[in-house]
Amino acid sequence: MEEILNQYETVHASDATIWFKAGKVEDFPTNRGGCIKYKNKQIAIFNFTRRNEWYACQNACPHKMEMVLSRGMTGSADDIPKIACPMHKKTFSLVDGSNLNGDDFKIATYPIKVVENEVFVGFAD
């Protein structure tokens, strides 16, 4: 199971060497998630219109290793945008991937940019 998590590593916008075209803005639901596949990774993408922001993270919940985060509930905790796993309600920051429940689990996050109605996710590999 750990080999699944080991393939995900946070990428900061300044470290992105590849900007993968994930789709058009209208391909992603508002205030919910969608999922794409990049190489062997499932990436959850969130069009968080309530905040006028976009976020991307691994789709794998590190708690039970299920590919479900794209189906989780978006919200905010102390003004930090978050995703709650739909299975066990573990919550993660969409900014830095930290666990907002105080558990050791965290998730990888990826930069997003929108250019002329196209959504791109940044990767370092």
Side-chain angles (χ1 to χ4, degrees):
M1 295 257 199
E2 292 210 10
E3 64 274 0
I4 293 172
L5 288 183
N6 289 338
Q7 66 186 331
Y8 296 100
E9 190 172 322
T10 292
V11 174
H12 300 283
S14 60
D15 298 326
T17 56
I18 297 165
W19 288 95
F20 178 77
K21 182 178 163 184
K24 296 185 178 297
V25 167
E26 59 267 16
D27 293 336
F28 298 94
T30 58
N31 297 311
R32 293 181 298 150
C35 187
I36 64 160
K37 187 170 183 179
Y38 173 75
K39 295 186 177 180
N40 60 341
K41 298 175 177 82
Q42 285 191 32
I43 304 297
I45 298 177
F46 302 94
N47 178 0
F48 206 154
T49 57
R50 290 183 302 238
R51 297 179 66 94
N52 196 30
E53 296 173 347
W54 287 79
Y55 299 95
C57 68
Q58 69 188 49
N59 196 35
C61 177
H63 176 237
K64 292 290 184 179
M65 309 305 279
E66 299 286 341
M67 297 292 183
V68 295
L69 291 183
S70 64
R71 295 178 180 216
M73 289 182 57
T74 58
S76 298
D78 296 325
D79 204 37
I80 299 170
K82 68 177 184 173
I83 184 66
C85 174
M87 296 183 74
H88 300 98
K89 307 305 181 243
K90 302 284 185 188
T91 59
F92 303 92
S93 164
L94 288 170
V95 175
D96 65 9
S98 60
N99 187 298
L100 300 174
N101 298 103
D103 296 331
D104 288 337
F105 307 115
K106 66 181 296 185
I107 59 171
T109 58
Y110 300 88
I112 291 267
K113 67 180 179 180
V114 177
V115 179
E116 296 179 7
N117 206 42
E118 303 278 356
V119 180
F120 295 86
V121 182
F123 296 98
D125 61 341

